[in-house]
């Protein structure tokens, strides 16, 4: 009972061993993450088209929910750039940004994402995330980063511009350029430069000045808060708000009230696809960060439990005036580096944000939007990895094609269209790849009981028995190829009497492939050839016994290819065995070059 | 040059060897198929919602096109039941059956299907047909058969009824039952009984009466024509048309005029999904029949050339007033059994139908629709194979689920919805299956250099080296599982220093899996474990060399698992080698039961 409870409430596990030392480390990590999270929360809320305070709301209850249910000891949950962009993309076409309907729809979106994650946990559907291949995710994140940065430039320039995709955004920026508001540009530009330097150089400078690497790293994390405070000071002292620098304005004080998303079934249906993509992308990103950090301390995370934890966090966001959240990459790394020992660091961060909401929101009135935009731009540009495209292209043209399709889709059409395009193309290419499994005609290695590809080794072939090895499971994507290929082989060997299909690499034969095997055996039989199988794996054999294939196909299932040949063509087999022997059974005689480039491209 | 031409015009090949004997056999087959095709053409045109004569038109030019381009020597092309149903399902919601717009749209549909098949041939996209797994096709055909039979019953009863899906059709029949037109029922019912007997019994009776099996078979093929002539005679003599028995009415005489489908881009876009499904289903069915028949004479068909041939046949249908066509199962078997030697039999059949259109159409004026309906019902009920569901269920629950989903979709929602549902579910289940590849921790068989699953064999495990064998290619559906599983294994073996991934069954590592391997190697390294690979296949190794993984991961790639262990933990390895030896290297020591049922269900 206790164990079962602990499985669903991992906090029971670490809470038992919690001590003063852990508390100290968690506390320090929480302070650093809180300082980092305040500007990010405000900025990502703005990116999502919501009032800045909702970003703070989304950084309280969701963090507590993750503390209760999460299995990662270092994951820092909250608003993140990509999910905020997806939120804006889903809601933008439906409602005016800043309206009450927009904010309500954001709650509904968080609720739907949360419900979907919980449903995936219950139905064990986490495997759905596998649809998002790595090139698709990588392309999606890079393109999103570019799109977000383009969208924020107008705040830096202090101009009005709008647009959904990259070309519209660029046009808007170019048209608005003459109207650039110089005081805003001064603040935004200097924030950008400052934040870039803090992010990339400060830690090195501090270390050169004698600070320990850890302290230097922690100090440099406070950069965005310093920029925030400095800009608020500048705006207040110089009266820049009156000079036309757009500021955040009044931010309500006090903890978020309990809220319910609007129960609008039509709207929910409309938001469902976006919610599904948000939950999948959020889950994939979060688990990947959590895995990386857990491995550093040889800890484990439980992907299915992570679905529950992230689902609860989103439901919590929906109930407390937030918007969709997930685990953030940079933030989690900071949390880990700062020494977070348990998810309690997250709960302490939530307390930090709660204190901020209770006491410090008046501070943000004079915060320039340009500084938030600079925070976003610096954060997202680190997500853009165009080198990945080059590396992927070098490794596999097909994967690179999926990546390019995703990027172009995101940049030129839309966030969801990009993902769907990439996923569709990945699936197509995957099916195409597996539709032509590698199959080799094999012969006996002289002096051994081993069989190898006749195109790569000097082997003995039986004139009566055709031996074919399949290097892939047999299932619907390749069932028809199997039929075609065997038909072709047989027409090239009109004299054979038996065909032995060697199945050491066949891990599955599905109903389509079984049907194909039946068709093959019937077709061979009318042509005077008997089909046999060899080296069939245990689980595959168990399953075949549940069909009537074994009774009807008329052939035998041999333990080994050697045994098959010894029975079907003893003369050739024993002759081959008597030929010069090599030292070790099984060590091959590579007489032909291993593989040509073009061949490995065609038949991966 | 000649060879290249022969590849695209297979008729050049067989025409060279054509002789009198082949001509005689082809001629006889053509006569029999013509007699079978006349009632079928009329009936399937009616099923497709088109004037009966279009069925005859669709049986002239398309057959000539297939004769030129086809590689199967026995495939008989023309209107078939399932494709006619799909045509009706695609056009029914758009236009009134029998209208000129409807007939025009049918031409456009045939043109689009033909264009799509030709495009697939050029782009080598025949693999798209693999999306249609066998359970989906089987379920689709059975359900279509039921749906067609239900839809034709109104003609047998002589009532008015309409409906798209099974429940509506049943309701319509029940509501119309009291209005049954008895003369029509008499003709329809007796035709049904007659055709059933002819199809299932006549050949046996004739053989019992001393006819040779071949002659008996050929004679029984004339059954539908006899029913047709007898019913025309009855209607004409008894004046049944005046008594309310619905007849075909005036059928125009003369060859089809050259026609162009309406060039309506909007309509074309609307029809595109239906055209894609029609071309895929038509292609799959046709190739499967052609393969089966070709095998009987050890001939070959060329699937890509079949795309060209079927595509041309459909374009020909569009240009000569027809509708979508493909290779028919029953018809092709009859053609083969009657002795057809070359595709010229098809051309001769076309001549037979042309003569019919030129001289005999007045005969069909008094043909009762009930007889055509009976022809259809008897033909399609032979397609319904509910036993397949039971067999598939016994073999694999997942495949059976895809089959049931397709059937219910076709019966309760619609033809296209059914296919899409089945394909979607197949893909999901496929992804789910491959998302958890079988992975085994392996150890050294005492006294040998072989490594086997520690859960099945009594093997020696190294305390320092964890050996893991992956029984599947590594690609995006299972890349994340690999990460999770290795993380879990390592947390269970905190003392190991090396992890060797044994890859004899890995035929592909895609970009997602490469990324996962990189993540795994980094995570292991920070945890103090070095990753190595062993038994990597040539093509996989070639590809890895194109990335920088091999330079950065810090481990080695060993030729064999034994070599890996001999280097990483020589002490344990040589100790294991010195243990009692078995007779044959590689013959395992099965100490544990092979596989449990439940296990093989979970990890196929």
């Amino acid at each position: 009972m206790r164990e079962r409870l602990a499985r669903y409430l991992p906090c029971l596990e670490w809470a038992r061993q919690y001590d003063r030392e852990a508390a100290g480390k968690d506390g320090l990590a929480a302070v650093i993450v809180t300082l980092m999270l305040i500007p990010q929360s405000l900025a990502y809320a703005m990116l999502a088209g919501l009032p800045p305070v909702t970003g703070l709301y989304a950084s309280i209850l969701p963090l507590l929910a993750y503390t209760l249910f999460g299995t990662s000891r270092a994951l820092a949950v909250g608003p993140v750039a990509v999910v905020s962009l997806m939120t804006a993309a889903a809601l933008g076409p439906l409602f005016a940004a800043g309206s009450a309907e927009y904010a309500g729809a954001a709650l509904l979106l968080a609720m739907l994402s949360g419900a979907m994650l919980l449903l995936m946990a219950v139905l064990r559907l986490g495997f759905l995330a596998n649809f998002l291949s790595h090139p698709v995710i990588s392309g999606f994140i890079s393109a999103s980063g570019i799109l977000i940065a383009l969208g924020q430039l107008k705040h830096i320039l202090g101009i009005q511009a709008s647009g959904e995709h990259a070309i519209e955004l660029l046009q808007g920026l170019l048209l608005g350029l003459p109207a650039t508001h110089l005081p805003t540009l001064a603040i935004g530009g200097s924030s950008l430069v400052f934040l870039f330097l803090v992010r990339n150089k400060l830690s090195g400078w501090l270390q050169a000045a004698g600070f320990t690497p850890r302290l230097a790293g922690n100090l440099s994390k406070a950069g965005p808060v310093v920029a925030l405070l400095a800009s608020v000071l500048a705006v207040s002292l110089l009266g820049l708000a009156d000079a036309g620098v757009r500021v955040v304005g009044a931010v309500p004080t006090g903890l978020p009230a309990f809220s319910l998303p609007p129960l609008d079934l039509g709207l929910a249906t409309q938001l469902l696809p976006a919610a599904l993509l948000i939950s999948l992308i959020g889950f994939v990103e979060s688990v990947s960060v959590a895995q990386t950090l857990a491995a550093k301390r040889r800890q484990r995370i439980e992907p299915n439990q992570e679905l529950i934890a992230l689902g609860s966090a989103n439901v919590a966001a929906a109930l407390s005036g937030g918007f969709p959240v997930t685990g953030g990459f940079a933030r989690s790394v900071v949390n880990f580096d700062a020494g977070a020992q348990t998810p309690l660091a997250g709960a302490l961060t939530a307390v930090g944000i709660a204190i901020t909401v209770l006491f410090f929101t008046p501070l943000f009135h004079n915060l320039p939007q340009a500084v938030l935009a600079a925070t976003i731009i610096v954060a997202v540009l680190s997500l853009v990895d165009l080198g990945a495209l080059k590396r992927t292209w070098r490794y596999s043209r097909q994967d690179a094609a999926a990546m390019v399709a995703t990027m172009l889709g995101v940049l030129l059409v839309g966030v969801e269209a990009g993902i769907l395009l990439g996923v569709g193309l990945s699936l197509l290419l995957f099916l195409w790849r597996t539709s032509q499994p590698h199959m080799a005609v094999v012969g006996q290695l002289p002096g051994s009981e081993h069989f190898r590809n006749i195109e790569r080794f000097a082997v003995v072939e039986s004139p009566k028995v055709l031996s074919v090895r399949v290097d892939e499971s047999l299932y619907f994507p390749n069932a028809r190829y199997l039929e075609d290929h065997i038909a072709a082989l047989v027409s090239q060997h009109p004299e054979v009497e038996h065909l032995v299909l060697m199945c050491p690499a066949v891990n599955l034969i599905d109903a389509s492939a079984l049907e194909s095997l039946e068709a093959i055996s019937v077709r061979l039989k009318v042509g005077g050839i008997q089909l046999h199988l060899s080296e069939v794996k245990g689980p595959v054999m168990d399953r075949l016994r549940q069909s009537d294939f074994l009774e009807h196909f008329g052939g035998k299932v041999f333990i080994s290819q050697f045994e098959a040949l010894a029975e079907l063509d003893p003369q050739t087999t024993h002759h081959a065995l008597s030929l010069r022997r090599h030292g070790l059974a099984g060590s091959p005689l590579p007489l032909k070059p291993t593989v040509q480039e073009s061949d490995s491209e065609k038949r991966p």
Side-chain angles (χ1 to χ4, degrees), chain A:
Chain A
M1 182 59 208
R2 190 190 183 122
E3 266 184 28
R4 225 168 133 180
L5 203 62
R7 207 172 126 203
Y8 294 108
L9 281 174
C11 54
L12 295 181
E13 186 68 29
W14 52 260
R16 268 192 294 157
Q17 302 150 10
Y18 207 73
D19 57 18
R20 201 168 200 154
E21 197 198 329
K25 289 183 173 175
D26 282 347
L28 176 66
V31 169
I32 294 171
V33 173
T34 304
L35 289 179
M36 184 177 180
L37 191 52
I38 293 169
Q40 282 193 357
S41 295
L42 299 168
Y44 293 150
M46 185 173 93
L47 171 57
L50 290 161
V53 75
T54 54
L56 296 171
Y57 294 167
S59 306
I60 304 176
L61 264 199
L63 277 65
L64 293 176
Y66 188 83
T67 300
L68 284 180
F69 298 111
T71 59
S72 163
R73 305 235 166 162
L75 194 73
V77 170
V80 307
V82 170
V83 167
S84 300
L85 173 71
M86 293 175 84
T87 302
L91 305 182
L94 302 177
F95 303 104
S99 67
E101 288 79 21
Y102 192 103
L107 297 181
L108 185 57
L109 193 60
M111 182 59 93
L112 288 173
S113 306
M116 224 165 281
L117 288 163
L118 292 173
L119 195 74
M120 282 195 250
V122 173
L123 300 180
R124 304 257 150 189
L125 288 178
F127 77 94
L128 280 179
N130 295 341
F131 270 115
L132 301 168
S133 68
H134 192 273
V136 168
I137 294 187
S138 165
F140 172 70
I141 293 199
S142 285
S144 296
I146 296 171
L147 205 60
I148 293 172
L150 279 178
Q152 295 303 313
L153 276 179
K154 65 180 176 203
H155 294 300
I156 303 281
L157 298 172
I159 59 176
Q160 301 282 356
S162 67
E164 289 279 302
H165 53 67
I167 291 176
E168 282 174 7
L169 286 171
L170 275 174
Q171 278 176 340
L173 287 174
L174 285 176
L175 287 175
L177 212 53
T180 299
H181 187 250
L182 291 178
T184 305
L185 180 60
I187 291 190
S190 56
S191 304
L192 260 185
V193 172
F194 174 76
L195 290 172
F196 262 114
L197 291 179
V198 164
R199 186 177 191 107
N200 300 316
K201 305 278 181 197
L202 184 63
S203 176
W205 291 341
L206 289 175
Q207 284 182 53
F211 287 82
T212 64
R214 160 162 274 172
L215 189 58
N218 286 345
L219 280 176
S220 65
K221 295 301 177 286
V225 166
V226 171
L228 188 153
L229 292 175
S231 66
V232 167
L233 216 63
V235 169
S236 305
L237 293 180
L238 305 174
L240 289 177
D242 298 331
V245 172
R246 305 191 82 193
V247 294
V248 164
V251 176
T253 295
L255 291 174
F258 175 80
S259 63
L260 263 185
L263 297 172
D264 178 339
L265 202 67
L267 181 60
T269 317
Q270 251 182 316
L271 293 179
L272 216 56
L276 178 65
L277 290 181
I278 286 177
S279 55
L280 284 179
I281 291 269
F283 172 60
V284 168
E285 276 302 280
S286 188
V287 162
S288 136
V289 179
Q291 288 273 30
T292 302
L293 297 179
K296 291 199 181 179
R297 298 204 190 120
R298 284 208 182 191
Q299 292 161 346
R300 271 204 73 199
I301 65 142
E302 187 56 64
N304 210 60
Q305 180 65 26
E306 286 299 294
L307 285 171
I308 296 179
L310 292 174
S312 314
N314 275 294
V315 170
L319 297 179
S320 58
F323 57 95
V325 295
T326 192
F329 177 69
R331 206 177 300 154
S332 302
V333 172
V334 168
N335 193 32
F336 181 89
D337 286 344
Q341 294 296 304
T342 71
L344 198 68
L348 295 174
T349 305
V351 171
I353 300 288
I355 292 172
T356 310
V357 177
L358 281 173
F359 303 108
F360 299 119
T361 50
L363 258 181
F364 305 137
H365 183 283
N366 277 345
L367 176 60
Q369 291 185 348
V371 174
L372 290 184
T375 312
I376 296 177
I377 291 174
V378 173
V380 297
L381 283 188
S382 69
L383 300 177
V384 178
D385 178 11
L386 294 179
L389 181 57
K390 214 171 111 192
R391 288 195 302 276
T392 307
W393 173 261
R394 224 176 53 187
Y395 185 67
S396 156
R397 302 292 139 93
Q398 292 149 26
D399 283 315
M403 194 186 256
V404 168
T406 311
M407 294 181 76
L408 291 181
V410 169
L411 287 174
L412 303 181
V413 188
V415 177
E416 290 172 26
I419 299 180
L420 295 180
L421 200 65
V423 168
L425 195 59
S426 297
L427 275 179
L428 265 185
L429 289 170
F430 172 62
L431 209 70
W432 179 71
R433 276 178 182 174
T434 48
S435 69
Q436 298 194 317
H438 186 251
M439 293 175 64
V441 174
V442 295
Q444 191 177 357
L445 276 181
S448 90
E449 298 182 358
H450 293 271
F451 286 75
R452 292 286 187 279
N453 192 339
I454 59 164
E455 286 177 11
R456 297 208 189 184
F457 297 90
V459 289
V460 179
E461 277 184 273
S462 158
K464 285 163 62 184
V465 184
L466 188 59
S467 301
V468 182
R469 193 188 66 218
V470 195
D471 290 344
E472 185 74 77
S473 287
L474 300 176
Y475 35 37
F476 73 85
N478 59 34
R480 240 174 299 276
Y481 178 80
L482 182 75
E483 295 182 37
D484 294 345
H485 194 72
I486 290 202
L489 281 178
V490 167
S491 73
Q492 288 158 20
H493 296 80
E495 74 294 344
V496 303
E497 296 163 21
H498 299 275
L499 189 148
V500 186
L501 209 59
M502 197 178 161
C503 307
V506 174
N507 299 305
L508 167 72
I509 297 179
D510 81 351
S512 299
L514 180 70
E515 201 77 26
S516 290
L517 281 180
E518 276 166 2
I520 289 168
S521 104
V522 170
R523 288 174 198 158
L524 289 178
K525 203 170 290 177
V526 294
I529 303 177
Q530 179 58 54
L531 176 71
H532 305 274
L533 304 178
S534 80
E535 307 190 13
V536 179
K537 291 190 172 185
V540 176
M541 200 62 196
D542 290 350
R543 198 170 269 267
L544 282 180
R545 286 203 191 91
Q546 287 167 44
S547 75
D548 51 9
F549 175 74
L550 295 176
E551 295 145 38
H552 291 329
F553 91 117
K556 288 193 176 180
V557 181
F558 296 98
I559 296 287
S560 71
Q561 189 65 17
F562 177 74
E563 204 177 277
L565 268 287
E567 178 167 332
L568 300 174
D569 186 1
Q571 204 180 346
T572 310
T573 311
H574 291 124
H575 170 69
L577 201 57
S578 70
L579 291 175
R580 70 205 155 88
R581 286 177 174 277
H582 315 301
L584 274 169
S587 94
L589 243 190
L591 296 183
K592 302 188 184 175
T594 45
V595 178
Q596 282 148 21
E597 199 78 334
S598 64
D599 191 49
S600 75
E601 256 309 305
K602 264 189 267 158
R603 293 250 173 92

